[in-house]
Amino acid sequence: MHNPLPLAGGRVDRVLTLAQLLPPHLVYPDVLTSYRWPAAVDCPPGTAPWRLAEIAACGTSIGPESDSRRAHAALRRAYATGTMTERVDELLDTIGLPSARATLDVSVILPVTHPSLLEHGLAQVARQSGVSQLIVIGPPGAGERAAEVVTGAEVIFRPLDPARTTGAMLNQALDLCEADLVAVMDPLDVYGMHYLADLTRAFLFSTADIVGKAAFYAHLRKPQATLLKQPEAEYSYTPEIAGATLLARRTTMRELGFPDLTDGWDTVLMRQCRTDGVKVFSADRFGYVRVRDEDRWLLGAAQLVEYGSAEPHALI
């Protein structure tokens, strides 16, 4: 019940006290709406921890002003304390009944198209939690190096085939995936240590089969520009997400398959999702940075944040 899905009309640009947020006449379903209404809630000392956790789990800033970075970190902490779903699963285990619930374990597909990208790409995967399997498509020796860097996960290697499209190689890797969720990661980009944990959380409160980021930060190295694309797309069902942030249910991806393309495979995949009625959800804008030397399309489609590194803005 407590999640960051926004109200239909969005938030109002007001900071409320806890008394203003929760007048005595409210019944609990109205409280759930109230939590999502203000820009921030200024809670007095001594506020019950469960109340603070509920507000934080709704993505609402706690304090005298709105702060999206602090709100995101608080939401992460609230979920880390344990959801009611997890408590019910523990009860079922205790009395000997299976919960029969899908896990949030992830098979990561990492296509490494050039040897110079291998170390950076593996470092991005190694810092993630919840990765049970890594399928590396890359140059000779990439499998051995992946096993050294990404410990605790099964590593499968397939050689890069220049004659095949990226989509064809992703499909080959998809056939090897065994976890309930499948992620595609780009060795060019930057992924924070909480990237996958934050993204998998969207499966707890959305009804999507594919989640990712339509709102994200980007860094263009030549102009040293940091951009923010489509911030209004956070926590919304959306026509498309960036392919390098794709996290999908394995069964859904096996039904869809990856288009047999190198350029634009994610655009065509998203078009297929719209045709087939597959729900796609855009999560928060944090934890990921698209990195390119230059990108004229992105310059025209995103807002300039500053000239400098994107990581202080994106990584929490």
Side-chain angles (χ1 to χ4, degrees):
M1 295 191 299
H2 306 95
N3 59 65
L5 293 172
L7 300 175
R11 295 183 184 273
V12 296
D13 190 18
R14 289 181 59 192
V15 177
L16 301 181
T17 66
L18 193 60
Q20 291 171 322
L21 181 76
L22 303 173
H25 66 271
L26 286 187
V27 296
Y28 201 74
D30 295 331
V31 170
L32 296 176
T33 299
S34 244
Y35 282 158
R36 295 171 169 83
W37 181 53
V41 182
D42 196 2
C43 298
T47 301
W50 63 266
R51 179 74 74 188
L52 294 174
E54 288 185 351
I55 295 172
C58 291
T60 302
S61 290
I62 298 173
E65 60 184 5
S66 177
D67 185 327
S68 58
R69 286 173 56 84
R70 287 182 60 190
H72 182 72
L75 182 149
R76 182 188 293 150
R77 287 194 299 270
Y79 269 87
T81 62
T83 64
M84 188 59 73
T85 296
E86 291 167 333
R87 301 291 80 80
V88 170
D89 285 350
E90 289 171 2
L91 289 172
L92 290 173
D93 289 341
T94 300
I95 63 175
L97 292 176
S99 61
R101 200 183 311 276
T103 71
L104 295 180
D105 287 346
V106 181
S107 292
V108 173
I109 302 175
L110 184 71
V112 182
T113 55
H114 193 276
S116 63
L117 300 174
L118 179 63
E119 291 299 324
H120 178 78
L122 292 178
Q124 307 313 299
V125 179
R127 65 175 61 159
Q128 307 302 317
S129 59
V131 177
S132 61
Q133 188 182 40
L134 170 62
I135 296 93
V136 180
I137 306 166
E144 290 85 351
R145 183 57 181 153
E148 294 171 357
V149 175
V150 184
T151 57
E154 178 193 16
V155 174
I156 299 176
F157 170 72
R158 290 294 181 271
L160 190 69
D161 183 352
R164 304 181 74 188
T165 66
T166 299
M169 289 188 284
L170 292 175
N171 274 324
Q172 178 189 23
L174 180 61
D175 288 338
L176 302 170
C177 291
E178 296 180 351
D180 289 324
L181 301 178
V182 174
V184 176
M185 294 175 65
D186 189 325
L188 272 170
D189 296 336
V190 174
Y191 298 83
M193 65 181 295
H194 299 288
Y195 165 76
L196 273 180
D198 284 348
L199 204 56
T200 55
R201 191 180 304 119
F203 286 104
L204 299 177
F205 55 77
S206 77
T207 57
D209 292 307
I210 295 176
V211 304
K213 296 182 187 290
F216 59 85
Y217 288 93
H219 183 71
L220 305 183
R221 288 184 289 210
K222 284 190 176 179
Q224 283 294 298
T226 287
L227 309 170
L228 175 58
K229 185 175 185 295
Q230 217 172 331
E232 69 280 0
E234 283 188 298
Y235 296 118
S236 65
Y237 293 93
T238 182
E240 58 185 36
I241 48 92
T245 69
L246 182 141
L247 179 65
R249 300 188 190 278
R250 175 171 52 91
T251 52
T252 298
M253 277 312 308
R254 285 190 169 170
E255 290 174 3
L256 287 167
F258 291 98
D260 189 8
L261 298 166
T262 293
D263 296 328
W265 65 264
D266 52 346
T267 301
V268 174
L269 175 62
M270 292 296 104
R271 189 182 306 146
Q272 188 64 48
C273 288
R274 295 193 292 274
T275 299
D276 294 355
V278 175
K279 282 188 175 182
V280 177
F281 185 79
S282 173
D284 60 86
R285 67 179 181 267
F286 299 110
Y288 164 76
V289 182
R290 174 181 284 181
V291 180
R292 298 293 183 269
D293 286 333
E294 55 187 349
D295 189 324
R296 292 185 179 276
W297 174 83
L298 196 56
L299 272 173
Q303 62 191 55
L304 177 67
V305 176
E306 70 167 2
Y307 288 98
S309 174
E311 294 189 19
H313 299 278
L315 306 188
I316 302 173

